[in-house]
Amino acid sequence: MSSLQPVAFQVPPYQANALGMGSSFSNNSALFSPYALSLQGFSNPQPLMSVPVPAPTLAQTNAPAALPFEQTMRTAVQKTAKIVGINAIPEFHNPLEKGVLRILGFCNEFAEAAKHVIPAPLFKMLYGVEAVYTAADTWNTRKHAMNHQDASLPYELKKSVGGAEALTTLIKQGLATFIIPTFVINKVHDFVHHLLSQPKLLKNVPTSMAKSLTSAAGKKYAPMMAGLATIPLLTTFADPAVFKLCDTFVRPFVGAAPLVSGD
């Protein structure tokens, strides 16, 4: 920091008064360029001396703070550095979503549809498999986001990019894999079970089919089949809506890098 030359800036009175300063100030312990000052909200600060002053580097801004104002300026520069040089992330075609591995992504949905038929240990195991699948998907998207950043980007910033991407993926998976399917499949299951418990609601159904549906086996397996039938509908309609919602609102909220087409 000692290599920088002193420089004073004109500050509009209303901004100077807000910071408890006069109409101009000179900071000899830590100097910042007009660019850095603009980060803090100063409108076009005018140098009193024509001296070139470079913007502080991230290493310089990590120096111990001597003044509260210096601390404020350093924080502003660090926040700005977090978004400088971060690349957009190509859309990730996860290998877990291809081929036989894709079936693992429906384990919890099958468990919900068949929970009154399958043993409790199998129900828990299927949810465990789904949890591992979600964790692997989250890790892959995090790695993908970090790998598409420039090698010159500090590793801490890469971790930040990967962490935001992982959080976005977890929210997507939480909604599209756990919350929405569990709610919908349970409601469908309960509706069909209630329907089969009210013979008068089946008066327009052929007698032979009504007898099959209202039998013990029918009441046991028909709700399960109805729950399983909702899975393709959820995949076709609910999943794209959730992904679009998360990319539009969640991604900017958590600070994730923007997506671009490609891989």
Side-chain angles (χ1 to χ4, degrees):
M1 300 294 289
S2 60
S3 62
L4 301 178
Q5 301 183 31
V7 63
F9 295 92
Q10 290 281 11
V11 181
Y14 71 92
Q15 292 174 336
N17 293 336
L19 293 171
M21 304 183 303
S23 60
S24 65
F25 69 98
S26 178
N27 185 353
N28 294 318
S29 60
L31 304 175
F32 297 89
S33 68
Y35 160 77
L37 288 173
S38 67
L39 296 178
Q40 197 63 19
F42 294 113
S43 303
N44 299 321
Q46 300 297 321
L48 300 179
M49 300 171 56
S50 181
V51 179
V53 182
T57 64
L58 191 60
Q60 290 171 328
T61 60
N62 285 329
L67 298 171
F69 180 74
E70 178 186 348
Q71 175 66 37
T72 304
M73 297 297 293
R74 182 168 66 251
T75 301
V77 175
Q78 287 175 330
K79 289 181 178 180
T80 303
K82 290 182 180 180
I83 61 172
V84 173
I86 294 177
N87 295 333
I89 303 172
E91 290 184 90
F92 184 37
H93 303 291
N94 199 325
L96 292 174
E97 299 177 355
K98 300 177 182 178
V100 179
L101 291 176
R102 183 67 182 98
I103 298 175
L104 298 177
F106 299 104
C107 283
N108 71 304
E109 293 165 318
F110 174 79
E112 283 297 329
K115 67 179 179 180
H116 297 290
V117 176
I118 62 177
L122 179 58
F123 177 85
K124 294 178 181 178
M125 185 189 74
L126 289 171
Y127 258 91
V129 171
E130 184 63 35
V132 173
Y133 179 91
T134 300
D137 182 37
T138 302
W139 178 262
N140 281 346
T141 53
R142 174 185 180 274
K143 185 178 178 181
H144 173 77
M146 294 178 66
N147 288 344
H148 280 81
Q149 301 305 313
D150 292 336
S152 59
L153 191 69
Y155 183 69
E156 290 301 320
L157 293 185
K158 287 185 179 181
K159 286 175 60 178
S160 177
V161 173
E165 193 67 23
L167 180 58
T168 303
T169 301
L170 280 176
I171 295 174
K172 284 182 181 180
Q173 290 284 9
L175 289 171
T177 303
F178 291 98
I179 297 176
I180 294 177
T182 298
F183 175 80
V184 172
I185 292 174
N186 272 302
K187 289 301 181 182
V188 170
H189 183 282
D190 293 344
F191 172 77
V192 174
H193 186 271
H194 173 74
L195 185 66
L196 298 180
S197 301
Q198 304 292 328
K200 61 182 180 180
L201 298 178
L202 302 175
K203 60 183 180 180
N204 294 326
V205 177
T207 304
S208 59
M209 182 179 293
K211 288 183 178 180
S212 298
L213 291 173
T214 55
S215 65
K219 290 180 180 180
K220 182 177 182 180
Y221 292 104
M224 181 189 75
M225 299 305 296
L228 293 174
T230 63
I231 295 177
L233 298 177
L234 290 168
T235 304
T236 303
F237 298 104
D239 288 2
V242 169
F243 294 164
K244 181 67 175 178
L245 180 70
C246 288
D247 288 339
T248 303
F249 298 103
V250 176
R251 178 172 292 278
F253 181 77
V254 302
L259 291 175
V260 294
S261 300
D263 189 12

